[in-house]
Amino acid sequence: MALIEIQRFGLVQGMERERLQNFEQLMAFLLVATKLTLPDSISKRIHFGSPSKDLIHWNWEPGECFAYKGMKQIRAIDGYSCGVLYRIECWLEALGVRYSMSRITQGSLMYKKGVCEGGIGVFLRD
């Protein structure tokens, strides 16, 4: 699905993925993608190019994430792995972008640590 989403984001933005040649273009593209697909409570807490140029950073306060709230409400949180961050990882892979992610790969950080915070280092040539 990520490849289809990326193609659609490109159509909406009038940009083909092959034209994302530098970090600023990639971050602008992903910013629009998150605003189109994620609720404000999530998209407003993802920062592109901050605190450093090659970083996507997120930080949600305790209990703030809609996915965490939903999984907790249906009592499935103990087996839930973050779909929001997985989706962003899939977008990067669909774009052919190398990245490194600083988070646990299984489970929910909000559930395990009480807060969800981390970063994705992006490796592009500018």
Side-chain angles (χ1 to χ4, degrees), residues 10 28 30 49 75-76 93 104 111 113:
L30 291 174
R75 297 186 175 115
E93 289 175 13
I104 59 172
Y111 176 66
K113 296 186 176 189

Side-chain angles (χ1 to χ4, degrees), residues 41-53:
S41 64
I42 298 299
S43 64
K44 288 183 178 181
R45 302 299 290 182
I46 299 174
H47 308 283
F48 298 95
S50 173
S52 69
K53 178 183 166 195

Side-chain angles (χ1 to χ4, degrees), residues 16-43:
E16 296 175 19
R17 68 182 185 186
E18 292 80 14
R19 293 184 52 213
L20 299 175
Q21 298 176 356
N22 63 46
F23 192 79
E24 288 77 20
Q25 291 172 339
L26 175 65
M27 294 302 104
F29 185 87
L30 291 174
L31 179 63
V32 171
T34 58
K35 287 183 178 183
L36 287 172
T37 58
L38 299 172
D40 284 347
S41 64
I42 298 299
S43 64

Side-chain angles (χ1 to χ4, degrees), residues 42 45-46 57-65 68 80 82-85 101-104 107-119:
I42 298 299
R45 302 299 290 182
I46 299 174
H57 182 262
W58 72 90
N59 181 4
W60 292 292
E61 299 297 323
E64 189 178 83
C65 176
Y68 169 79
Y80 175 71
C82 183
V84 174
L85 298 174
M101 192 164 190
S102 66
R103 72 171 177 96
I104 59 172
S108 164
L109 285 173
M110 189 73 71
Y111 176 66
K112 291 183 177 187
K113 296 186 176 189
V115 66
C116 185
E117 179 178 21

